Amino acid sequence: MAPHDLRRPFKRAAISDQQRRRELSLQRQAQHRRDAQHQARCLASFLNPHSDPDPEPEPETTPEPEPEPTDSPKELDVRHASKLKGAEARKWFARQLMLPEWMIDVPDQLPQDWYVFARPAGKRCFVVSSNGTTVSRLRNGSMLHHFPSALPSGARTKDSSGSAQSYSILDCIFHESDQTYYVIDMVCWREYSLYDCTAEFRFFWLSSKLAETGACDPPSQYHRYRFSPVPVYNCDQAGLSAAYTGAVPYVKDGLLFYNKHAHYQTGNTPLALVWKDENCSQYVIDTDSKGQVPSQQQVVLELQDNGNLSTSDDPPVVFGCLDQAFIEQTESRSGNLLRFAIGDGGLNFVDGKLEKADLHYLGKSNRARAFADSYSKVMFQYMARHSPLRIDDLLASINSSNDQENKPSDVEMVG
Amino acid sequence: MAMEVTQVLLNAQAVDGTVRKQAEENLKQFQDQNLPSFLFSLAGELSNDDKPVESRKLAGLILKNALDAKEQHRKLELVQRWLSLDPSVKTQIKACLLKTLSSPALDARSTASQVIAKVAGIELPHKQWPELIGLLLSNIHQLPANTRQATLETLGYICEEVSPDAVEQDHVNKILTAVVQGMNSSESNNDVRLAATRALYNALGFAQANFSNDMERDYIMRVVCEATLSPELRIRQAAFECLVAISSTYYEKLAPYIHDIFNITAKAVKEDEEPVALQAIEFWSSICDEEIDILEEYGGDFTGDSDVPCFYFVKQALPVLVPMLLETLLKQDEDQDQDEGAWNIAMAGGTCLGLVARTVGDDVVPLVMPFIEENITKPDWRQREAATYAFGSILEGPSPDKLIPLVNIALNFMLTALMNDPNNHVKDTTAWTLGRMFEFLHGSALETPIITQANIQQIINVLLQSMKDVPNVAEKACGALYFLAQGYEDAGSSSSPLTPFFQEIVQALLTVTHREDAGESRLRTAAYETLNEVVRCSTDETASMVLQLIPVIMMELHQTLEAQKLSSDEREKQNELQGLLCGCLQVIIQKLGSSEQSKYVFMQYADQMMSLFLRVFASRSATAHEEAMLAIGALAYATGADFVKYMPEFYRYLEMGLQNFEDYQVCAITVGVVGDICRALEDKILPYCDGIMTQLLKDLSSNQLHRSVKPPIFSCFGDIALAIGENFEKYLIYAMPMLQSAAELSAHISGADDDMLEYTNSLRNGILEAYSGIFQGFKGSSKTQLLMPYAPHVLQFLDSLYMEKDMDDAVSKTAIGVLGDLADTLGSNAGPLIQQSVSSKDFLSECLSSDDHLIRESAEWAKLAISRAISF
């Protein structure tokens, strides 16, 4: 029983860096395990009945376009983003919305794989609630409202459920006339990231969670704006008709189609589509700044280093090219958004690919614009002026895919 | 039946190696041929006063080693072996041992004491040798002094060896009575008094009941305090050790004595010899430890709900305690900073002052500041160093509001001192103090920054300059830079104030690693650790510079692998360096791999890095293996499915790591890396799964493997199942029974201590993660029915966890998730089973209203999955 050693650490940090490396690795592994588990739980089969004799293809087996490197929102980024302020926040949020392409042809399997709903007219925005306040940000990242809400951690109330740190992010459209945020998608709920979940799951979660919070209640002291879900239908004959003609409390601005198996992908995606005609939208054909429909279609394109004029798609579609003299003359620089009119020459296609566009320079675009037009938008507008895709075409497509399904298999009689 | 062993035992200690070897073989032969006779012969030798003391000592030592071993599994074997020995032989051996306690030879007595304690350690928990305590204590007063001494020493060893619940209270009372009487000042023999005092140290854990009795406690405390005044140094030292032990075991009983103890300790610190003074300071450090723990447990709410109330002894003693400690700071040794093992009164006093600051916070500041102001500019280096050390010590504990104004004044002074003070000791402490400033008062959480645009340039210049100073000063400068970088950890992804200096800092650190004397004072390690932290806290702006580091570090690693014909000493250093370099690469991989942009560029080095890591496995150093393995895990995650190309070559090292029972850290880390690889490769890992699963199953059934590796192995089953899906089918018959029996064992653990409960919860979590992965892996496949037979057991496990009410939040979250996974995968087939389970009702509803949102989320999800399973 010798005297016991009583030396204590002296002038040393208590934890060695090696221990720190080990712990950080374990944290990383645990986090990735949680992510993997979480992803597994969100897979589509979750909402497919087991009795379904004809299982849908798993969504992750369908190759999806690689997202932009900077646009891969991981949980931690989102946590980080929920705390961003000012210019940083604008920059981040400008890239985070999932932007539907315009429907320029009808996808196969509409009734099986797609949802449809009437898009409320208004401003598309992200609504973030955290730390006792709620902020809405427009498509270009700038702030729309800063207000208290009944969303989780959305107001400084005493009986806030959950920790103050918890945050939620909703994809909304703000509808002026009834001062309501119509929630069209859910990206994060109480820190639970839904980015990697299918639309089917997200819509399910949205409809079951939103009402619980009281966010759909009429405005009150700690809840300045009402939130409301929108009715979402399976895109079969009845669903499409309901979305197209059914009564809703808001002014419609076209129809949105969401692929059930698609994850929430930032930026343009062909797995969400927008379609409009005069019956369901006041804004089928783009208006100019005075609200007039210009006689010629106008497009906004981005000027590239090499003088190319391209769309906001990834990869970009080139509509034309400016020569150096013209660039200098207009004092344009790479990255500028320029407005053009499409002349009588129109758009010419060879084998379905754009070959030539008759572009006439109008000037620089409004500074509030964050992006050039997408290819699908230009095409939809072009078609709307020349040979629009009609509701009947959509219905017919549904019928034909029903027909295919119902078609009895051919049996060769040999008797 | 006894054998003649004296000569062999003496030969076994011969100088001549041949003789020694022969003797050792003979002993082994004896043991193998007839163990009972061998052990009895040894006991006989030990007890025989006619034999030389050397052979007696060795006999006792061999006997002791036949009863106990360090490794857990070997120890259990030895215990079983002793228990199954012929009882009559054991009786004879024990008689010899007890007889030896009366031997005139001190060494023989002392050895016998230890062997008796080992036997007691085996037998008392099995209710054997019940007469031992009685035998030892009968007639203790009439025994000669040497026997009394040996008896007390034996009692001390027994208390060290045996857990308190194996000794009945009646025996405890008798032991304590004998021990405290032996300590009493009326005991004239110093050896007896010392043995008694040391025995009390071990017996304190048995004295719960006695310390609750006011009279008995008063008596024990009086005797201990008196012993601190003994003329014999060793007794004073042992008595203070008892006070230190009492301060942590019986903190809540100390109030009536604390005033007297303060006087005793203050006197010892001032006047007594260093070994005693150190214990006296340790008493107050230990009180601080207790109060810090208690106050931490109070948390922010100050409800005073803690089990033990805080008596604020430190706060009350503060006005006298602080001056006493400040006094000690001036008693530095000349070169304590170069001596790794140094521990003196100045170091102990400074450490205690730091703990005092953490205990009382702001109150310490006004008591220390005058000392600092008075001494910091004195010509005597001892005064400057003591003042600086005092300042560094109080930087953790007091509020930033209190400290920041002081630091703002001191910072410039410290920077100047670090450059210009003529004394190395002062510079060492100054650099350390700067590090403490940055550690505790610099970071995004603080409102007023101490490092600003105006001074950052100067701070960095001074630190980089100081990194060229003598090794111990340079090491502290690296440490200060480490915390300076850490303060910018969450500066945001875009811009860090360190960016303009990044290149210069990295260059300076690399230069340090190449210093010839970098092996001294841990300097090289500190430089790499700082480099790691600088990389971790860097932003996108400097990603390209981090990228440039890769070839540099790879080249260094390459050079260590090329070195030929090294001495074993050089090889050890080389391995250490390999570990550091692999660690550095790991940090870089993790940093660059986390951003898609930089990942793309750095992947060009992946092949080269991988081949270097594989070469590191050729070395025999566990630390280097561990670091290489961690780096590979990070690389696998960054590489994703492409990692498959490395698998053919890497696989054997993976297997090697999983077989490394001895360095269980390597094994644990390898298990974690298997998880990384599963997530990277997904089903491409399939060809390797047979081998991996075999090894993991072997690991689980081994009793040699450290238990801490078992929970991660279960989690790893889940990772594999999730990666390979229904292909896990063939492992079900092996994995499921293992999980099942581990689940049964871990479900009920009544009466376990905190450590055991914590371990059990981590085991439960591992088991549940395995179930989760397996259920999710099979989801949607046509083979889900294979899991049906296991569902009742899984649900039963969840139910019993719920009933036990001792799982932590992490387990609750995983458990309720498993309920969802089971419902999700098995669907309506499991509906009736689920509806019968308690978990699906009470547990689920408890989780749904949990305060922890992660538990709530899992529960929401389980609710959803169950409602579907039941409705279809």
Side-chain angles (χ1 to χ4, degrees):
Chain A
M1 286 179 289
H4 298 81
D5 188 6
L6 41 68
R7 271 180 296 178
R8 288 169 177 258
F10 185 71
K11 289 192 191 174
R12 286 251 185 287
I15 290 189
S16 80
D17 194 74
Q18 191 192 8
Q19 187 59 25
R20 193 163 139 81
R21 283 200 291 283
R22 216 180 267 148
E23 278 163 14
L24 287 172
S25 286
L26 286 176
Q27 276 172 24
R28 176 180 60 75
Q29 285 166 350
Q31 178 65 44
H32 294 157
R33 178 176 294 131
R34 276 198 296 279
D35 292 350
Q37 192 64 255
H38 175 67
Q39 203 180 339
R41 284 177 180 164
C42 296
L43 288 182
S45 66
F46 181 71
L47 289 178
N48 285 340
H50 293 278
S51 51
D52 191 346
D54 178 20
E56 307 282 347
E58 295 278 319
E60 72 280 4
T61 56
T62 57
E64 283 178 27
E66 276 292 304
E68 287 264 332
T70 46
D71 287 357
S72 68
K74 292 279 177 279
E75 192 133 7
L76 282 175
D77 294 346
V78 177
R79 187 187 303 273
H80 179 61
S82 71
K83 295 176 191 146
L84 291 178
K85 296 202 171 65
E88 291 234 296
R90 279 201 296 284
K91 213 167 113 195
W92 196 84
F93 281 100
R95 288 196 254 111
Q96 296 310 310
L97 279 170
M98 175 158 86
L99 304 173
E101 288 195 358
W102 290 69
M103 188 186 283
I104 49 183
D105 51 30
V106 186
D108 296 337
Q109 304 269 328
L110 265 185
Q112 288 83 16
D113 291 343
W114 294 76
Y115 288 123
V116 63
F117 59 92
R119 183 193 188 281
K123 290 171 179 144
R124 177 86 184 279
C125 53
F126 253 159
V127 175
V128 180
S129 69
S130 80
N131 247 329
T133 187
T134 308
V135 171
S136 55
R137 291 186 180 277
L138 296 174
R139 212 185 119 162
N140 62 8
S142 66
M143 197 189 294
L144 176 63
H145 299 129
H146 187 169
F147 58 104
S149 77
L151 294 173
S153 306
R156 282 183 211 286
T157 51
K158 278 184 189 134
D159 61 338
S160 66
S161 54
S163 75
Q165 295 299 312
S166 140
Y167 58 86
S168 302
I169 302 179
L170 301 176
D171 184 345
C172 298
I173 292 170
F174 184 69
H175 189 253
E176 270 313 320
S177 62
D178 64 356
Q179 294 284 298
T180 298
Y181 280 95
Y182 287 93
V183 186
I184 62 168
D185 210 333
M186 182 177 268
V187 180
C188 265
W189 188 253
R190 295 189 198 274
E191 271 180 68
Y192 191 74
S193 167
L194 294 153
Y195 275 100
D196 293 332
C197 298
T198 61
E200 196 168 22
F201 183 85
R202 296 197 309 273
F203 288 169
F204 183 91
W205 206 245
L206 166 61
S207 62
S208 57
K209 294 283 123 188
L210 190 65
E212 281 178 16
T213 58
C216 303
D217 297 345
S220 57
Q221 188 188 356
Y222 290 112
H223 181 55
R224 191 165 307 150
Y225 298 100
R226 203 164 68 90
F227 286 76
S228 171
V230 295
V232 177
Y233 306 95
N234 274 320
C235 193
D236 50 24
Q237 190 113 26
L240 181 58
S241 305
Y244 185 64
T245 57
V248 280
Y250 51 83
V251 179
K252 291 181 193 175
D253 181 18
L255 301 180
L256 283 169
F257 297 78
Y258 273 57
N259 186 296
K260 293 179 185 177
H261 311 299
H263 293 187
Y264 195 97
Q265 190 193 333
T266 60
N268 291 322
T269 170
L271 297 175
L273 298 168
V274 57
W275 173 90
K276 297 175 181 183
D277 73 1
E278 278 80 5
N279 287 325
C280 68
S281 171
Q282 297 169 296
Y283 318 100
V284 182
I285 296 183
D286 270 1
T287 52
D288 60 18
S289 53
K290 298 178 200 90
Q292 304 294 316
V293 173
S295 59
Q296 288 182 321
Q297 182 182 350
Q298 297 187 359
V299 294
V300 173
L301 298 167
E302 185 178 337
L303 179 63
Q304 305 289 329
D305 288 336
N306 54 9
N308 277 352
L309 296 165
S310 64
T311 62
S312 62
D313 302 272
D314 178 29
V317 178
V318 177
F319 268 68
C321 187
L322 290 185
D323 64 36
Q324 201 55 38
F326 189 82
I327 293 173
E328 274 161 27
Q329 182 198 332
T330 56
E331 291 179 4
S332 304
R333 262 172 300 149
S334 168
N336 279 165
L337 300 179
L338 308 178
R339 184 174 291 277
F340 296 88
I342 298 181
D344 297 337
L347 304 176
N348 293 296
F349 298 87
V350 173
D351 293 339
K353 280 185 73 176
L354 181 72
E355 168 81 0
K356 202 177 97 199
D358 180 18
L359 297 178
H360 299 269
Y361 181 71
L362 295 174
K364 296 220 174 90
S365 151
N366 182 338
R367 273 200 295 163
R369 280 291 289 254
F371 304 101
D373 286 335
S374 67
Y375 175 74
S376 66
K377 167 160 186 200
V378 177
M379 286 305 299
F380 187 91
Q381 289 290 323
Y382 190 74
M383 284 161 69
R385 284 167 182 263
H386 299 92
S387 58
L389 190 62
R390 294 171 210 283
I391 187 76
D392 293 341
D393 300 331
L394 297 177
L395 288 167
S397 151
I398 289 172
N399 283 333
S400 80
S401 77
N402 280 346
D403 287 349
Q404 267 171 21
E405 210 159 87
N406 298 336
K407 202 159 59 180
S409 50
D410 286 336
V411 179
E412 273 225 49
M413 301 295 169
V414 287
Chain B
M1 66 188 247
M3 293 178 263
E4 172 52 45
V5 289
T6 311
Q7 195 52 51
V8 188
L9 288 168
L10 291 175
N11 287 350
Q13 303 170 72
V15 186
D16 182 342
T18 337
V19 177
R20 210 167 54 233
K21 205 154 173 258
Q22 180 62 43
E24 279 164 5
E25 266 166 33
N26 288 343
L27 285 171
K28 195 174 173 322
Q29 267 174 17
F30 285 168
Q31 171 160 353
D32 292 347
Q33 277 161 12
N34 190 341
L35 180 74
S37 160
F38 177 67
L39 295 179
F40 177 56
S41 309
L42 293 173
E45 183 79 10
L46 176 61
S47 67
N48 190 338
D49 282 329
D50 299 334
K51 298 290 185 180
V53 74
E54 289 78 18
S55 67
R56 297 176 72 182
K57 251 179 87 172
L58 184 59
L61 205 64
I62 297 173
L63 207 47
K64 190 177 129 190
N65 290 339
L67 294 165
D68 195 10
K70 272 214 181 101
E71 306 98 315
Q72 194 59 27
H73 67 105
R74 174 84 184 132
K75 185 185 173 119
L76 290 174
E77 272 172 36
L78 294 176
V79 167
Q80 282 313 315
R81 195 175 75 176
W82 174 262
L83 287 172
S84 55
L85 218 59
D86 178 1
S88 67
V89 179
K90 283 193 283 192
T91 308
Q92 286 175 298
I93 293 174
K94 289 188 280 190
C96 288
L97 293 171
L98 287 173
K99 181 179 159 229
T100 315
L101 295 182
S102 326
S103 165
L106 173 68
D107 281 344
R109 291 202 306 271
S110 182
T111 312
S113 295
Q114 296 175 46
V115 182
I116 290 170
K118 292 293 176 198
V119 176
I122 297 173
E123 295 201 346
L124 294 190
H126 289 87
K127 306 270 174 231
Q128 297 176 9
W129 212 2
E131 67 281 16
L132 170 64
I133 305 292
L135 283 172
L136 285 171
L137 293 176
S138 65
N139 305 323
I140 187 158
H141 304 296
Q142 285 125 52
L143 297 170
N146 60 346
T147 315
R148 279 214 313 282
Q149 178 268 337
T151 304
L152 288 164
E153 196 176 337
T154 309
L155 289 171
Y157 282 128
I158 290 173
C159 291
E160 193 175 27
E161 203 65 43
V162 180
S163 104
D165 48 6
V167 183
E168 43 189 285
Q169 184 61 40
D170 179 43
H171 280 159
V172 170
N173 294 341
K174 284 187 176 138
I175 293 172
L176 282 170
T177 308
V179 165
V180 178
Q181 276 174 6
M183 281 178 76
N184 208 327
S185 50
S186 62
E187 172 62 61
S188 55
N189 184 303
N190 272 346
D191 290 335
V192 174
R193 213 176 160 197
L194 179 63
T197 312
R198 287 182 177 168
L200 180 68
Y201 179 90
N202 288 327
L204 283 168
F206 291 66
Q208 292 290 349
N210 314 80
F211 261 83
S212 300
N213 177 323
D214 291 352
M215 210 176 67
E216 295 184 17
R217 186 182 62 240
D218 283 349
Y219 176 56
I220 296 172
M221 290 304 292
R222 182 172 64 76
V223 172
V224 174
C225 288
E226 278 173 14
T228 65
L229 306 171
S230 157
E232 168 68 33
L233 179 133
R234 289 177 305 157
I235 294 175
R236 295 200 302 277
Q237 187 181 357
F240 270 112
E241 276 193 59
C242 289
L243 279 183
V244 172
I246 290 169
S247 72
S248 59
T249 317
Y250 300 108
Y251 169 84
E252 73 276 15
K253 310 270 191 227
L254 275 182
Y257 318 104
I258 199 76
H259 187 73
D260 289 339
I261 296 177
F262 179 80
N263 289 334
I264 293 171
T265 49
K267 189 166 182 304
V269 170
K270 269 204 178 65
E271 300 167 7
D272 212 327
E273 295 184 52
E274 189 158 70
V276 182
L278 288 175
Q279 291 294 348
I281 294 175
E282 179 60 19
F283 173 85
W284 286 101
S285 291
S286 166
I287 293 284
C288 289
D289 287 343
E290 289 303 312
E291 297 196 341
I292 290 169
D293 280 355
I294 295 169
L295 294 172
E296 228 162 58
E297 209 154 291
Y298 279 8
D301 49 355
F302 287 104
T303 54
D305 279 347
S306 168
D307 293 343
V308 184
C310 185
F311 288 98
Y312 300 100
F313 294 141
V314 178
K315 197 172 173 151
Q316 289 168 44
L318 208 57
V320 271
L321 184 60
V322 170
M324 173 185 99
L325 293 172
L326 291 172
E327 200 69 10
T328 65
L329 295 183
L330 294 159
K331 300 182 180 170
Q332 310 95 325
D333 287 337
E334 284 285 350
D335 46 9
Q336 66 185 42
D337 285 325
Q338 281 94 33
D339 179 3
E340 284 279 332
W343 188 248
N344 59 41
I345 191 160
M347 297 165 91
T351 306
C352 187
L353 183 62
L355 291 168
V356 168
R358 286 176 55 200
T359 313
V360 304
D362 286 0
D363 292 350
V364 81
V365 177
L367 295 170
V368 174
M369 284 318 289
F371 177 84
I372 299 171
E373 283 156 9
E374 192 195 320
N375 288 290
I376 197 130
T377 52
K378 283 283 156 63
D380 180 359
W381 72 265
R382 285 176 193 280
Q383 288 173 287
R384 297 196 306 278
E385 197 278 337
T388 314
Y389 195 88
F391 191 58
S393 295
I394 60 165
L395 290 173
E396 185 187 9
S399 63
D401 286 350
K402 191 94 184 171
L403 291 174
I404 284 179
L406 301 172
V407 166
N408 279 332
I409 298 167
L411 185 57
N412 237 332
F413 184 91
M414 296 284 167
L415 291 172
T416 313
L418 186 53
M419 282 296 84
N420 300 334
D421 199 286
N423 181 279
N424 278 339
H425 200 132
V426 175
K427 285 197 281 189
D428 183 294
T429 303
T430 304
W432 171 78
T433 300
L434 285 166
R436 302 259 299 176
M437 288 178 182
F438 302 153
E439 182 178 3
F440 300 113
L441 297 165
H442 155 62
S444 59
L446 291 151
E447 279 174 18
T448 34
I450 56 169
I451 303 176
T452 62
Q453 275 303 316
N455 63 11
I456 187 166
Q457 170 99 51
Q458 187 203 0
I459 292 170
I460 288 173
N461 285 349
V462 169
L463 292 180
L464 297 192
Q465 192 61 34
S466 180
M467 277 157 47
K468 298 174 188 157
D469 211 318
V470 291
N472 60 304
V473 176
E475 187 241 350
K476 301 295 187 303
C478 288
L481 194 55
Y482 184 102
F483 290 114
L484 186 131
Q486 192 169 76
Y488 296 120
E489 192 171 28
D490 40 9
S493 61
S494 50
S495 181
S496 160
L498 279 189
T499 297
F501 311 101
F502 190 86
Q503 189 79 45
E504 199 185 350
I505 289 172
V506 168
Q507 201 48 56
L509 287 167
L510 289 174
T511 309
V512 172
T513 66
H514 291 130
R515 279 173 60 153
E516 291 221 347
D517 54 4
E520 294 169 36
S521 297
R522 251 183 106 252
L523 178 56
R524 183 174 287 115
T525 307
Y528 277 116
E529 289 182 346
T530 305
L531 183 59
N532 291 345
E533 191 65 9
V534 169
V535 169
R536 274 191 208 108
C537 304
S538 65
T539 65
D540 292 346
E541 295 169 306
T542 40
S544 62
M545 288 182 256
V546 175
L547 200 62
Q548 287 164 19
L549 254 178
I550 298 179
V552 177
I553 304 291
M554 282 202 307
M555 180 53 79
E556 304 261 349
L557 184 54
H558 179 77
Q559 278 169 11
T560 68
L561 293 164
E562 292 296 297
Q564 302 281 332
K565 291 187 191 130
L566 298 172
S567 69
S568 67
D569 193 34
E570 287 167 327
R571 183 171 305 282
E572 197 180 311
K573 284 194 181 126
Q574 206 69 275
N575 287 338
E576 194 188 323
L577 181 56
Q578 283 164 1
L580 291 170
L581 292 165
C582 288
C584 186
L585 285 172
Q586 182 219 332
V587 171
I588 297 175
I589 293 167
Q590 211 156 319
K591 182 75 195 177
L592 296 181
S594 66
S595 137
E596 292 288 331
Q597 245 159 343
S598 51
K599 185 165 109 181
Y600 180 74
V601 193
F602 105 94
M603 286 314 295
Q604 61 178 309
Y605 297 111
D607 289 358
Q608 260 177 296
M609 275 193 272
M610 194 63 196
S611 77
L612 288 171
F613 294 148
L614 293 179
R615 288 177 65 190
V616 172
F617 289 120
S619 83
R620 297 198 180 280
S621 152
T623 315
H625 284 201
E626 200 183 303
E627 296 284 1
M629 199 50 96
L630 280 174
I632 288 173
L635 189 64
Y637 177 70
T639 318
D642 288 344
F643 191 82
V644 74
K645 66 177 169 179
Y646 305 123
M647 283 306 285
E649 216 182 331
F650 173 52
Y651 178 72
R652 68 191 183 104
Y653 299 107
L654 194 71
E655 200 167 56
M656 219 164 76
L658 293 177
Q659 287 163 345
N660 196 340
F661 292 163
E662 211 165 307
D663 309 301
Y664 70 90
Q665 294 271 30
V666 176
C667 187
I669 277 164
T670 313
V671 171
V673 169
V674 171
D676 280 328
I677 294 173
C678 285
R679 286 180 287 272
L681 299 189
E682 297 191 332
D683 56 354
K684 288 189 191 140
I685 198 175
L686 194 56
Y688 302 96
C689 281
D690 281 357
I692 293 171
M693 280 301 292
T694 309
Q695 206 46 59
L696 292 177
L697 290 165
K698 268 192 202 163
D699 286 353
L700 280 178
S701 13
S702 155
N703 53 9
Q704 285 175 52
L705 184 63
H706 195 277
R707 66 174 193 178
S708 67
V709 191
K710 299 198 174 176
I713 291 180
F714 284 126
S715 307
C716 190
F717 282 176
D719 297 338
I720 293 173
L722 206 52
I724 64 173
E726 61 179 18
N727 293 306
F728 198 78
E729 176 187 353
K730 59 176 165 176
Y731 308 124
L732 284 177
I733 55 161
Y734 307 104
M736 283 308 210
M738 287 247 185
L739 284 164
Q740 203 158 326
S741 64
E744 272 157 25
L745 276 176
S746 81
H748 314 284
I749 46 149
S750 53
D753 58 14
D754 286 357
D755 278 352
M756 190 58 196
L757 184 59
E758 198 185 326
Y759 172 71
T760 304
N761 272 323
S762 75
L763 194 63
R764 290 167 172 173
N765 200 54
I767 295 165
L768 292 165
E769 285 186 337
Y771 283 140
S772 231
I774 293 169
F775 280 119
Q776 285 299 336
F778 274 75
K779 181 166 70 172
S781 94
S782 57
K783 294 180 177 167
T784 50
Q785 80 283 355
L786 290 173
L787 298 179
M788 261 320 281
Y790 305 108
H793 172 80
V794 173
L795 289 168
Q796 215 178 342
F797 179 46
L798 297 177
D799 283 358
S800 54
L801 285 180
Y802 172 66
M803 317 271 218
E804 286 289 311
K805 303 273 177 221
D806 57 3
M807 57 182 154
D808 58 24
D809 282 357
V811 175
S812 294
K813 179 193 163 280
T814 328
I816 205 68
V818 167
L819 185 63
D821 295 328
L822 186 149
D824 188 24
T825 296
L826 298 180
S828 53
N829 295 332
L833 273 176
I834 294 170
Q835 274 175 307
Q836 284 163 23
S837 72
V838 190
S839 301
S840 68
K841 302 187 186 70
D842 301 1
F843 184 27
L844 181 60
S845 70
E846 248 174 58
C847 289
L848 283 169
S849 54
S850 162
D851 292 335
D852 183 322
H853 81 272
L854 290 173
I855 295 181
R856 255 192 342 265
E857 290 298 351
S858 283
E860 301 269 8
W861 187 79
K863 184 179 155 193
L864 201 72
I866 290 172
S867 70
R868 288 188 50 255
I870 291 174
S871 64
F872 286 113

